[in-house]
Amino acid sequence: ERLQKLNNILSQHDIGFLSLGPSTCPRHTTSICPKIVSIAPGRFSCSANVDACDVESARAAAKCVQIISTLGTDDESHLAGGLGNFRFCAASCVASGVPFFPAARGASLTDTDTIFPKIGFGIGLENGEFALNLLKEAKSIYAINTVFATRMKEELLPIQDVCSKLASEFDEHKKFSVEYLGIDTSFNPSLDKSGSIAAAIENLEEVRGDFGQCGSLSAAAAITTSLQSIPGIVKTGYCGLMLPVLEDRRLAELGMKSNDGSSSSSNLSMQKLLYISSVCGVGIDTVPIPGNVLEDDLSSLMLDVAALAGRWAKPLSCRVFPVPGSRAGDKTTFDSPYMCNSCVFEVE
């Protein structure tokens, strides 16, 4: 009932999406998170904290993913075919201030020394075509830092100036205190023709062939390091390389290659995505998996992501979509303006 009231208020103010933050209790993860995600028309998202070696939280998050995948009917487009998991993830080492859903969360009382946490805002970007232009200009891994330091600063400073001015105007009028948290400088793909981050990386001389082959790891590391060190920019969130399979047309295309039964090294796999995550963000993101995936296998995958996050003190998340009735290699048929289709990945 309270969720529905909040949903109505958001609708009245034309607010399309709201992340309700992380569950820190395994019992709440399995009982409350599915209810949050189920509210039509899909305005709410949430996450569950999973720390390294926290088996109980990982199992609860895995169970939550399975529950969400069974929700809804064909008439409920925000849930049909397992699509509800678009709005849930297991989050590891994710602090407040991340502006990307579903891991986004604001400050809580445990994050501040004050009775009431400040209202804060950060900026997330959709910048796949800009990434393409920068990497074409760089041509080689060795030039990435130089190109990014100059060109990204030029593009981001005007945004930062507007945000800083907005925050100060609130303070001047004494309405309430608003804090500008910064920009998440991450490369984030779009579904536009030139919006793929994976395709952009393939323009680098050191990447031999398809994204995921030799040179991809060093390219991902160089890009992430540069994104995290842009001078003069206040940063928040992941500040890394985002590789969501169903939100990047080139990644989705590479995922389809496993559907032909070949064993080519260019095929994209869960393990390949995981090892690239060791040097960048965001983790395992928007990956379709078999509908009958075992809870133990899913929780182990989440623990692997959490282990990387904990070992390197970096924010990572795991967002996967069990597709009811599907097997590894099947083509997905999601009908969403926010995603394209690929094939179902094996949870290895």
Side-chain angles (χ1 to χ4, degrees):
E1 183 180 348
R2 285 182 293 176
L3 282 173
Q4 195 57 60
K5 286 182 179 179
L6 178 57
N7 191 39
N8 292 338
I9 292 172
L10 295 172
S11 178
Q12 292 169 11
H13 292 277
D14 198 26
I15 297 174
F17 300 99
L18 174 69
S19 175
L20 294 177
S23 165
T24 57
C25 168
R27 181 169 56 85
H28 291 166
T29 298
T30 55
S31 62
I32 298 177
C33 288
K35 293 180 181 178
I36 291 173
V37 169
S38 69
I39 300 293
R43 201 182 309 272
F44 296 126
S45 63
C46 61
S47 59
N49 279 357
V50 177
D51 295 327
C53 301
D54 187 349
V55 176
E56 183 182 10
S57 292
R59 286 178 174 167
K63 186 173 183 62
C64 178
V65 167
Q66 289 182 317
I67 293 171
I68 292 172
S69 72
T70 65
L71 296 176
T73 65
D74 291 339
D75 295 330
E76 296 175 295
S77 59
H78 69 298
L79 296 171
L83 193 57
N85 277 300
F86 185 67
R87 296 178 300 283
F88 175 80
C89 72
S92 304
C93 297
V94 177
S96 61
V98 170
F100 288 101
F101 290 10
R105 49 163 290 193
S108 66
L109 293 179
T110 58
D111 297 325
T112 67
D113 296 326
T114 60
I115 297 177
F116 299 103
K118 282 185 176 181
I119 295 173
F121 69 97
I123 302 296
L125 306 170
E126 189 174 90
N127 51 11
E129 187 170 359
F130 182 52
L132 174 63
N133 294 335
L134 291 187
L135 293 174
K136 280 185 174 180
E137 182 179 338
K139 297 181 182 178
S140 174
I141 288 172
Y142 82 88
I144 285 176
N145 191 59
T146 302
V147 171
F148 281 30
T150 302
R151 298 273 276 109
M152 287 204 72
K153 183 178 179 179
E154 290 174 353
E155 295 292 329
L156 298 182
L157 269 180
I159 299 174
Q160 178 166 280
D161 290 343
V162 170
C163 293
S164 298
K165 182 180 179 181
L166 179 63
S168 64
E169 286 176 352
F170 274 105
D171 288 339
E172 288 173 6
H173 289 86
K174 307 295 184 182
K175 292 181 178 179
F176 43 82
S177 181
V178 173
E179 180 182 6
Y180 165 56
L181 303 175
I183 299 174
D184 190 325
T185 58
S186 294
F187 273 174
N188 175 36
S190 72
L191 295 179
D192 296 336
K193 183 178 179 180
S194 301
S196 168
I197 299 297
I201 292 173
E202 290 175 345
N203 285 276
L204 294 170
E205 295 173 354
E206 294 82 5
V207 177
R208 306 301 181 184
D210 295 338
F211 176 82
Q213 293 185 276
C214 289
S216 299
L217 189 67
S218 57
I223 291 169
T224 300
T225 299
S226 297
L227 291 173
Q228 293 174 351
S229 56
I230 300 166
I233 301 298
V234 180
K235 302 172 190 67
T236 190
Y238 292 107
C239 294
L241 186 63
M242 296 189 169
L243 300 170
V245 172
L246 296 184
E247 295 177 301
D248 185 305
R249 292 195 183 278
R250 178 58 174 156
L251 286 179
E253 179 186 3
L254 292 171
M256 289 292 291
K257 289 191 175 184
S258 65
N259 204 23
D260 61 12
S262 70
S263 58
S264 169
S265 62
S266 66
N267 286 0
L268 204 60
S269 68
M270 194 74 76
Q271 289 302 310
K272 191 170 286 188
L273 290 170
L274 192 60
Y275 94 82
I276 293 175
S277 295
S278 67
V279 297
C280 69
V282 164
I284 300 296
D285 197 18
T286 65
V287 180
I289 59 176
N292 64 350
V293 62
L294 297 177
E295 182 181 312
D296 286 346
D297 290 344
L298 194 48
S299 64
S300 291
L301 173 64
M302 292 176 175
L303 286 170
D304 282 347
V305 174
L308 284 176
R311 177 64 181 84
W312 302 114
K314 57 185 290 183
L316 292 175
S317 56
C318 182
R319 181 167 50 154
V320 292
F321 304 165
V323 181
S326 70
R327 297 179 298 176
D330 289 349
K331 185 176 180 180
T332 63
T333 56
F334 292 119
D335 183 15
S336 168
Y338 308 112
M339 296 191 306
C340 52
N341 282 289
S342 184
C343 74
V344 174
F345 282 54
E346 187 70 70
V347 179
E348 303 169 272

